[in-house]
Amino acid sequence: MTLRLTTLLAFTALSAMSLPAFAQDAAATPAAPRAYKPVTNDMILNPPPEEWISWRRTVDNQGYSPLDLINKDTVKNLELAWAWPMAADGQQEAAPLVHDGMMFLSTNQNIIQALDAKTGDLVWEYRHVLPQLPASWGYQLNQARRQKNSIALYDDKVIVATADAKLVALDAATGKVAWETQVYDTQKGYSYTVGPLIVNDKIISAISGCSIAGTAGGCFIAAHDAKTGKEIWRFNTIDDPKNPEQEASWGGVPPENRWGGTPWTTGSYDPRTNTTFWGVGMPGPYSQLIRGSGDGPVLYTNNTLALDADTGERKWNFSHLPADNWDLDSPFERILVDEGEGDAAKHLLVTVPGKDGIAFGLDRDTGKYLWSRDTVYQNVVKSIDAEGKVTLNNDLVPTAVNQEVFVCTSVSGGKLWMTGAYSPRTKTYYVPLAEACNTVTPTVTEFTAGNAVGATKFGPRVLPPNITNGGVVEAINVADGARKWRHEQRPTFTSSLLATGGGLVFGGDAGRFLMAMDEETGDVLWQTRLNAPIGGYPMTYEIDGEQYLAVPTGFSAQAGSSASMFPEIPVPSGSGNSLFVFKLRNAAQTASK
């Protein structure tokens, strides 16, 4: 473990580059630590309006800020305040956090930087030293290049979930290591690619890499003491001896031959019931023909899991795609919404959980199915009955090795890691989506260390029949799942969305356009073109009476697949991984224009 501190440095960059060598070396006399106000449990549950403390700002994962200085009338006056080149390339899935005037930015390779959120000056930098892995461990090596939202704030610490399966606590004022713990064996293939949820002095985290050969038998959600790193509980998503139904659902496949069930999107939390909600990904191998699990549901893959936050005990689970044969995955954001007031209030969980693009509404207290609806073209699910039971299109289930089927959506279509946002102003869930299909073919594959056990070949991404636009934002009424509006365009959306009190929905695409849409109509009210595809998680904050909009840019797998489908919208040859921060021109400047 090494730590490098730098003195305050001011960098403004419109394209990605590595930090200069002198910025990476330890300063002889580091600047004195600045004051930092600790993040309390109450603050995490009710963050100040001007701050962005958690991954989606609030633990209900709504991705909403009440700030309204940037609004439908003023958005046209946005200008660049400062920019920052990220310290590593790879897939752009960064999620900046802001508290007490400091921005905490985690990039790929677990490089953490603290910046002055007003000026963009560097305060400190931490570089986690990752183990050397064999070059043949391709899938596992790639995990360090796809760190999504791998930090959380708690007390006076920055909690880091690392690509080598550790939890590390850094002093938020200095970047110094306070403690670290090795949670899982990275030599087997385990890796954190998303950050934890902080709940009542606990770090609740979920591991990735569960489709790598060496990780058979276990994929986990776990809780650790936030002050010491000591484990409190652990839940296995593919081997739950307490639930005979779960054991039976694998069709006799023993735990040592089970893979998948990865909960690789940070969960949400309901303090009213002390419940944490997590989405779980597909089973492995991807085809039931290779997997040997039969044609029934494979619990808890492609499920929503509701767990007691203190004990990790399962309260309920709901199956969104019971027998996935196509890597259509259902781990994405679970958003918690209350509809109505007092005793009549409905406590909802809304989600477009997977790549099939089907939206769901559930009662989050019981797991009861309320509604569902297709958002993009898909041919995998034939129907969902009044109880929420999913019936699949069995014509698309391969019955022989090397049998090719044409599946919509695709492994890179429908709903992906890019997160939607909910606005309490409009009672609407805004979701970035992609129209896409591809061929899927089960194969016989040797399982090797550090590599995935998918045993599947995917054809190139193509548009569904009679569809010409790849990018979609769908506005969904959370009460009944009805569509409010739909924005379509040629390039795919490559960033998460942000909803604000100013009546705007921010997001961006593979064509490098950052845009602000009207929350009521989907009309684009403002847009600007940046250096690379828009990525990660746009967010907003306020300092000294000025509202800022922070937007990551850079390469992503989604941008690459969009470019292959739409060659007229090429992706830049460089990674372009950067952060752009905008604010409004001041009144005097605006009046003079």
Side-chain angles (χ1 to χ4, degrees), residues 307-532:
L307 304 178
D308 184 288
D310 285 341
T311 66
E313 292 292 320
R314 178 182 63 94
K315 293 187 173 183
W316 57 260
N317 62 281
F318 180 88
S319 178
H320 299 276
L321 190 64
D324 190 351
N325 283 266
W326 315 279
D327 187 17
L328 290 181
D329 225 2
S330 299
F332 305 122
E333 73 274 8
R334 269 59 176 176
I335 294 178
L336 311 184
V337 174
D338 290 337
E339 277 287 291
E341 301 292 337
D343 293 339
K346 294 181 179 179
H347 306 292
L348 308 179
L349 181 152
V350 296
T351 180
V352 180
K355 299 172 187 174
D356 58 20
I358 300 174
F360 286 85
L362 305 177
D363 182 312
R364 71 173 184 264
D365 290 345
T366 64
K368 180 183 177 181
Y369 168 84
L370 300 176
W371 54 259
S372 63
R373 185 175 62 79
D374 286 353
T375 60
V376 292
Y377 179 82
Q378 65 86 20
N379 62 359
V380 168
V381 173
K382 291 179 66 174
S383 63
I384 301 176
D385 70 15
E387 301 299 317
K389 182 180 179 181
V390 175
T391 298
L392 298 177
N393 178 1
N394 287 324
D395 291 341
L396 298 182
V397 178
T399 58
V401 174
N402 296 323
Q403 177 188 347
E404 183 178 275
V405 294
F406 183 71
V407 175
C408 303
T409 65
S410 83
V411 69
S412 57
K415 175 67 170 62
L416 296 163
W417 64 265
M418 295 85 75
T419 304
Y422 169 79
S423 173
R425 291 165 45 96
T426 60
K427 310 293 186 183
T428 303
Y429 177 28
Y430 304 97
V431 190
L433 299 155
E435 297 277 11
C437 307
N438 58 213
T439 58
V440 179
T441 309
T443 62
V444 174
T445 305
E446 180 183 3
F447 297 168
T448 59
N451 290 296
V453 299
T456 300
K457 180 175 69 175
F458 298 100
R461 172 181 170 178
V462 298
L463 286 171
N466 304 315
I467 289 178
T468 57
N469 288 322
V472 175
V473 171
E474 183 101 344
I476 300 172
N477 184 326
V478 298
D480 58 8
R483 176 188 295 169
K484 286 192 171 182
W485 53 259
R486 179 182 178 89
H487 170 91
E488 294 185 9
Q489 60 177 49
R490 186 80 165 158
T492 300
F493 282 85
T494 49
S495 82
S496 299
L497 300 183
L498 162 68
T500 74
L504 300 171
V505 178
F506 288 95
D509 62 29
R512 300 186 283 123
F513 282 100
L514 167 66
M515 62 192 73
M517 290 174 278
D518 187 307
E519 66 179 5
E520 296 284 358
T521 65
D523 293 340
V524 176
L525 303 180
W526 171 86
Q527 66 179 12
T528 189
R529 203 169 199 188
L530 300 179
N531 66 322

Side-chain angles (χ1 to χ4, degrees), residues 1-4 24 108-112 125-133 144 160-166 168 170 177 180 182 186-187:
M1 182 68 57
T2 61
L3 172 71
R4 295 187 174 98
Q24 298 177 16
N108 294 321
Q109 308 295 338
N110 292 131
I111 301 171
I112 318 299
E125 178 182 281
Y126 166 82
R127 291 185 174 236
H128 187 71
V129 177
L130 294 168
Q132 294 293 316
L133 299 176
V160 185
T162 72
D164 58 343
K166 293 179 179 178
V168 179
L170 305 177
V177 176
E180 67 174 68
Q182 184 76 55
T186 192
Q187 294 301 316

Side-chain angles (χ1 to χ4, degrees), residues 151-319:
I151 57 174
L153 303 181
Y154 167 77
D155 195 28
D156 59 352
K157 304 293 189 297
V158 179
I159 307 299
V160 185
T162 72
D164 58 343
K166 293 179 179 178
L167 291 175
V168 179
L170 305 177
D171 184 291
T174 66
K176 293 181 178 180
V177 176
W179 57 256
E180 67 174 68
T181 183
Q182 184 76 55
V183 183
Y184 305 99
D185 188 349
T186 192
Q187 294 301 316
K188 291 183 177 180
Y190 289 112
S191 176
Y192 284 118
T193 59
V194 296
L197 173 71
I198 306 298
V199 172
N200 297 330
D201 302 320
K202 289 186 290 295
I203 301 166
I204 304 180
S205 60
I207 197 66
S208 293
C210 307
S211 295
I212 288 178
T215 61
C219 199
F220 306 100
I221 303 167
H224 291 75
D225 186 297
K227 295 185 182 298
T228 65
K230 182 180 179 181
E231 186 169 303
I232 299 170
W233 55 257
R234 183 182 292 201
F235 183 90
N236 190 329
T237 65
I238 59 175
D239 183 18
D240 180 10
K242 294 183 179 180
N243 185 358
E245 181 186 2
Q246 194 262 1
E247 289 295 294
S249 74
W250 279 86
V253 175
E256 60 267 23
N257 293 123
R258 299 178 196 171
W259 287 270
T262 303
W264 60 276
T265 298
T266 304
S268 50
Y269 174 67
D270 184 354
R272 183 179 56 87
T273 59
N274 194 36
T275 306
T276 184
F277 304 89
W278 294 76
V280 184
M282 75 291 176
Y286 303 152
S287 170
Q288 66 191 43
L289 179 71
I290 308 297
R291 192 165 62 235
S293 59
D295 58 2
V298 186
L299 301 178
Y300 301 110
T301 67
N302 291 329
N303 271 225
T304 295
L305 271 173
L307 304 178
D308 184 288
D310 285 341
T311 66
E313 292 292 320
R314 178 182 63 94
K315 293 187 173 183
W316 57 260
N317 62 281
F318 180 88
S319 178

Side-chain angles (χ1 to χ4, degrees), residues 71-152:
N71 55 49
K72 296 179 186 182
D73 295 326
T74 64
V75 68
K76 63 181 180 293
N77 297 320
L78 281 176
E79 65 178 8
L80 187 67
W82 56 268
W84 184 255
M86 293 199 185
D89 60 9
Q91 299 193 40
Q92 176 52 283
E93 302 174 6
L97 305 179
V98 168
H99 171 61
D100 199 22
M102 289 177 68
M103 175 181 287
F104 300 93
L105 181 64
S106 174
T107 69
N108 294 321
Q109 308 295 338
N110 292 131
I111 301 171
I112 318 299
Q113 295 170 322
L115 306 170
D116 185 297
K118 184 173 183 177
T119 66
D121 292 332
L122 181 67
V123 179
W124 57 255
E125 178 182 281
Y126 166 82
R127 291 185 174 236
H128 187 71
V129 177
L130 294 168
Q132 294 293 316
L133 299 176
S136 60
W137 293 19
Y139 188 92
Q140 188 171 348
L141 285 167
N142 191 54
Q143 300 290 69
R145 294 173 50 80
R146 55 184 295 233
Q147 299 290 292
K148 281 181 276 299
N149 53 304
S150 57
I151 57 174

